[in-house]
Amino acid sequence: MAAVKLLNCFVSPFGNRVRIALAKKGVEYEETAENMVTKGPLLLSSNPVHAKVPVLLVDGKAVCESLVILEFIDEAFAGTGAQLLPADAYARANARFWAAYVDAKMPECAGKIWKVPKGAPAVEEGKKEMVGVFKTLEGELGEKPYFGGEALGYADVALVTFTPWFLTYERLAGFSIAEECPKLTAWAARCVGENECVAKSLPDAEAVYQFVGGMRKHFGLE
Amino acid sequence: MAAVKLLNCFVSPFGNRVRIALAKKGVEYEETAENMVTKGPLLLSSNPVHAKVPVLLVDGKAVCESLVILEFIDEAFAGTGAQLLPADAYARANARFWAAYVDAKMPECAGKIWKVPKGAPAVEEGKKEMVGVFKTLEGELGEKPYFGGEALGYADVALVTFTPWFLTYERLAGFSIAEECPKLTAWAARCVGENECVAKSLPDAEAVYQFVGGMRKHFGLE
């Protein structure tokens, strides 16, 4: 077996995608906790371009960028568990489209909620944008249980790691995601309830809120 | 043979990636010209989420987002020509990493040069950032002829479609990319000189400059 190591921060929606993919494949690995302020030497040497988590190291070889890592895991550990990406080329393109949509939209609208001073006008804007993004995602989900169809897939993994942050977004921006987007909320509960690889990979929402509060104090935002 | 249609705008670095991939595979297709201001009904119905080119339609089924389309072409037309992505999982991850890097960096720094009023402070910032991005890319290129190694690959295609814009960046920001980044300039010449699929897919640099000038006038930037 290859020696697999993950550089991650326990709240990272990007890093936790890799946790889920490795758990789904049953790949054993060791996780090294990075904090988001001081960068460890292994993080800097293995991801010199971005100096960001996650980094996956397999026998010392580094793979960076969470969606790239998910594809790598699907390909490098193809024989060890259900694939995240389907076999059909159109279905693969659709999964990649929605994962890219999550990456293009979520960090931006979430950042307007938690990376700005309390009560800044951006918060209201971020909330509206986020609800719009979730409604678009609900439209794609339709009556399917998962974005991947009958089972958790690539786009599900890309999105579900933001759900432990929902409580933080709600408290900081004063809204209820369950009220605004009941279908997405039911999907999130399904992901955790029906998939052990998700349940064991996500942080506690209250712990995320406390962590974000600490970050916000550190950066003088509250 | 499937009926293949591409919705594109002739200057689009994203749409022209698809031209190159289709040409490399020898896939015959029909191109519909979209302009960047008025969106055609087929564009709106086939890419309702982003309403942007490129869209690839194969027997009426739409695939959106340029990098997603490149992967789709590699998979759906696997038997018809050299693959853009290599076979090895690490090499695939590396190609995807650098294509994602281009997408994360190029539109942002280029936008600071051409989407702002003449002489705005952002232009100088955009120029510095762009040179930094190109130097990072030159570091990755090293002594290889292509990012893909011995032959044009996925990351090469992702980047080369920006090269017809170089003249525009240079004129608007007052610098010489050939002087600042000779290795990248040599790579760009190699892509065009050695690959017919690139040469026949890229617009003339002067035509891009004229088009951008028209856009800038339309938006009151000069």
Side-chain angles (χ1 to χ4, degrees):
Chain A
M1 272 303 272
V4 181
K5 186 180 261 190
L6 171 62
L7 310 187
N8 190 20
C9 172
F10 82 103
V11 296
S12 171
F14 306 101
N16 292 336
R17 291 170 173 173
V18 184
R19 280 187 179 173
I20 296 174
L22 291 171
K24 190 169 160 67
K25 290 278 186 176
V27 176
E28 283 185 32
Y29 66 99
E30 180 195 319
E31 183 168 318
T32 300
E34 298 283 335
N35 74 56
M36 282 167 156
V37 182
T38 324
K39 316 273 187 181
L42 186 55
L43 179 63
L44 293 173
S45 65
S46 57
N47 189 2
V49 173
H50 299 297
K52 280 183 185 166
V53 298
V55 177
L56 185 72
L57 291 149
V58 181
D59 290 335
K61 288 179 84 169
V63 184
C64 304
E65 294 279 71
S66 65
L67 294 181
V68 174
I69 297 172
L70 294 192
E71 298 240 21
F72 174 82
I73 291 171
D74 238 20
E75 293 170 356
F77 302 101
T80 56
Q83 294 296 94
L84 286 175
L85 282 161
D88 174 71
Y90 283 105
R92 291 167 74 84
N94 196 51
R96 287 179 180 129
F97 175 88
W98 287 105
Y101 178 79
V102 170
D103 270 11
K105 301 293 181 181
M106 281 303 294
E108 195 184 331
C109 61
K112 287 180 184 171
I113 293 175
W114 75 271
K115 287 185 176 173
V116 302
K118 208 169 181 170
V123 175
E124 194 59 28
E125 199 187 310
K127 179 175 91 178
K128 276 187 192 148
E129 283 176 21
M130 188 176 282
V131 171
V133 167
F134 288 162
K135 295 229 176 275
T136 299
L137 287 164
E138 286 188 329
E140 166 60 15
L141 190 59
E143 299 308 315
K144 302 192 298 282
Y146 294 99
F147 289 93
E150 292 305 311
L152 184 91
Y154 184 72
D156 295 284
V157 175
L159 180 61
V160 76
T161 52
F162 285 92
T163 62
W165 284 69
F166 282 10
L167 180 72
T168 299
Y169 305 147
E170 292 176 325
R171 286 186 182 163
L172 290 174
F175 72 128
S176 160
I177 294 172
E179 267 174 37
E180 302 271 0
C181 309
K183 259 184 156 175
L184 195 80
T185 304
W187 162 85
R190 203 177 298 130
C191 288
V192 173
E194 298 179 357
N195 301 277
E196 199 201 338
C197 62
V198 176
K200 73 180 191 184
S201 299
L202 296 184
D204 176 63
E206 194 65 54
V208 173
Y209 181 71
Q210 294 304 323
F211 181 93
V212 173
M215 292 272 283
R216 287 173 55 81
K217 280 204 185 78
H218 179 84
F219 288 110
L221 298 174
E222 59 180 40
Chain B
M1 272 303 273
V4 181
K5 184 178 263 190
L6 171 62
L7 310 188
N8 190 20
C9 172
F10 83 104
V11 297
S12 170
F14 305 102
N16 292 336
R17 290 170 173 173
V18 183
R19 281 187 179 173
I20 297 173
L22 291 171
K24 191 169 160 66
K25 291 278 184 175
V27 176
E28 283 185 32
Y29 67 99
E30 180 195 320
E31 183 168 317
T32 301
E34 300 282 337
N35 74 56
M36 282 168 156
V37 182
T38 324
K39 315 273 187 180
L42 186 56
L43 179 63
L44 292 173
S45 66
S46 57
N47 189 2
V49 173
H50 300 297
K52 280 183 185 167
V53 298
V55 176
L56 184 72
L57 291 149
V58 181
D59 291 333
K61 288 178 84 169
V63 184
C64 305
E65 293 278 70
S66 65
L67 294 181
V68 173
I69 297 172
L70 294 192
E71 297 240 22
F72 174 83
I73 291 170
D74 238 20
E75 293 170 356
F77 302 102
T80 55
Q83 295 294 95
L84 287 174
L85 281 161
D88 174 70
Y90 283 105
R92 292 168 73 85
N94 195 52
R96 288 180 179 128
F97 176 89
W98 287 106
Y101 178 80
V102 170
D103 271 10
K105 302 292 180 183
M106 281 304 294
E108 196 184 330
C109 61
K112 287 179 183 170
I113 294 175
W114 76 270
K115 288 185 177 174
V116 302
K118 208 170 183 170
V123 176
E124 194 60 27
E125 199 186 309
K127 179 176 91 178
K128 276 187 192 148
E129 283 176 21
M130 189 177 280
V131 171
V133 166
F134 288 163
K135 295 228 175 275
T136 299
L137 287 164
E138 286 188 329
E140 166 59 16
L141 190 60
E143 299 309 315
K144 302 192 298 283
Y146 294 100
F147 289 94
E150 292 306 311
L152 185 90
Y154 183 71
D156 296 284
V157 175
L159 181 61
V160 77
T161 51
F162 285 92
T163 62
W165 285 68
F166 283 8
L167 180 71
T168 299
Y169 306 147
E170 291 176 325
R171 286 186 182 164
L172 290 175
F175 72 129
S176 160
I177 294 173
E179 267 174 37
E180 301 272 0
C181 310
K183 259 184 154 175
L184 196 80
T185 304
W187 161 85
R190 203 176 298 130
C191 288
V192 173
E194 297 179 357
N195 300 276
E196 200 203 336
C197 61
V198 176
K200 73 180 191 185
S201 300
L202 296 184
D204 177 63
E206 194 66 54
V208 173
Y209 180 71
Q210 295 304 325
F211 182 91
V212 173
M215 292 272 283
R216 287 172 56 79
K217 280 204 186 79
H218 179 84
F219 290 110
L221 298 173
E222 60 181 38

